[in-house]
Amino acid sequence: LTNNHVVQGARRITVVTTRNRILRARLVGRDPTSDVAVLRVGDRSLPPLPLGNSDELQVGEQVVAIGSALGLPGGPTVTTGVVSATERTEREPGQVQGMQGPTLFGLIQTDAAINPGNSGGPLLDTQGRVIGINTLGQRTTEGGVPVQGINFAVSINTAKSVATELIRKGHVVYPYMGILTEYLYPEVAVINGVPYVPGQYVGRVLPGTPAARAGLRRGDIITEINGQKLRNESSFAQLLRRHEPRQTITLTVDRDGRTLHLRVTLGRRPGG
């Protein structure tokens, strides 16, 4: 397992083991949306690391990050820290300067240092189980103010789900509703001048989409999917991803203080 952005555009992929064995790797599949990729190395003697359960992580739990920070010669770099938060949402920088990458959901935030070159390396718990894939670190705010100790890893439960589909199909199929949306945290409610209702605020419904056919409107607040409450922006994406195109889900919606139940038959998300 590694990050998509590590192998994106590569014509040849080489894996170097800690015992300095040089192996060719084949790309099984990659998913830009989750920034996960699966490689196959033709050596059955390599011992795999056990995978943990990132859903059981607690804030404050100690973690260890391993990776090739800055590409320094002489072996991997090890850093330590704690789980600062879970279920974070963060936008990746784009591969092309001036462009943004995908929005990643369900991330583990840690203060274990993650630098360029750490991407794709494991984030481990104290029992040596992989609980995440080191992905990105924040260096400055949008205004250019330096920050420290704000780093993110794709949770291993997200990676396992994506990897299973990549191995089986070579790609990942995502369901599609056709809305532009953000989670209605209190500060978002203030900015938009709407009452604070915990849920997903619908900023726009694209015409001709499953959401439009189901009757969703701009200003609706989705509070539940199939009876499961939306706790944050990551839970909305994660609950939606449990379903496949052509499946029907029930949304609980707050519309001007009234509670509605709308059934949406999901489509397949178009490219781009």
Side-chain angles (χ1 to χ4, degrees):
L1 288 171
T2 187
N3 284 133
N4 168 73
H5 75 260
V6 171
V7 298
Q8 184 175 354
R11 290 179 292 178
R12 176 176 175 177
I13 302 171
T14 304
V15 172
V16 181
T17 74
T18 53
R19 295 184 178 181
N20 293 325
R21 294 178 60 206
I22 301 174
L23 305 171
R24 289 290 299 273
R26 178 175 65 85
L27 179 64
V28 174
R30 62 185 186 88
D31 179 46
T33 298
S34 61
D35 200 9
V36 171
V38 178
L39 306 179
R40 181 180 178 87
V41 179
D43 187 340
R44 294 182 178 272
S45 69
L46 296 175
L49 281 168
L51 303 184
N53 183 357
S54 50
D55 289 345
E56 296 178 351
L57 284 177
Q58 299 293 316
V59 173
E61 188 174 334
Q62 289 188 315
V63 291
V64 176
I66 302 177
S68 299
L70 306 184
L72 296 171
T77 295
V78 177
T79 57
T80 63
V82 299
V83 175
S84 304
T86 61
E87 303 294 336
R88 289 298 202 205
T89 301
E90 186 66 24
R91 190 77 177 261
E92 275 198 314
Q95 296 291 305
V96 179
Q97 189 171 7
M99 296 185 65
Q100 289 185 312
T103 299
L104 304 179
F105 298 96
L107 297 174
I108 302 165
Q109 181 185 331
T110 177
D111 64 348
I114 296 176
N115 291 290
N118 274 112
S119 295
L123 186 69
L124 309 167
D125 63 16
T126 53
Q127 294 178 286
R129 298 174 299 195
V130 182
I131 46 88
I133 300 176
N134 304 324
T135 301
L136 70 132
Q138 286 287 14
R139 299 292 172 259
T140 61
T141 65
E142 291 183 2
V145 179
V147 298
Q148 294 182 342
I150 307 294
N151 306 293
F152 300 97
V154 174
S155 71
I156 199 60
N157 285 10
T158 295
K160 283 191 289 188
S161 173
V162 171
T164 298
E165 200 160 348
L166 289 175
I167 292 169
R168 189 158 44 98
K169 302 178 182 176
H171 62 277
V172 180
V173 176
Y174 286 98
Y176 177 70
M177 286 175 54
I179 57 176
L180 301 180
T181 176
E182 63 180 323
Y183 192 78
L184 195 64
Y185 295 108
E187 56 270 30
V188 177
V190 171
I191 291 169
N192 286 278
V194 298
Y196 170 57
V197 177
Q200 206 73 14
Y201 178 79
V202 178
R204 183 183 174 194
V205 179
L206 303 180
T209 61
R213 289 190 290 271
L216 272 174
R217 300 178 186 173
R218 184 183 185 279
D220 284 347
I221 303 168
I222 303 169
T223 59
E224 298 178 6
I225 295 178
N226 286 349
Q228 293 185 274
K229 291 185 180 298
L230 304 184
R231 306 183 314 277
N232 50 50
E233 193 169 12
S234 286
S235 65
F236 173 72
Q238 289 165 339
L239 288 173
L240 197 61
R241 288 177 184 178
R242 292 178 186 176
H243 302 279
E244 297 182 358
R246 294 191 294 274
Q247 289 186 334
T248 299
I249 60 174
T250 299
L251 304 179
T252 301
V253 174
D254 182 285
R255 180 178 293 170
D256 299 327
R258 296 181 294 124
T259 299
L260 306 176
H261 299 282
L262 304 179
R263 290 173 60 81
V264 180
T265 300
L266 299 169
R268 176 170 178 162
R269 194 176 66 184

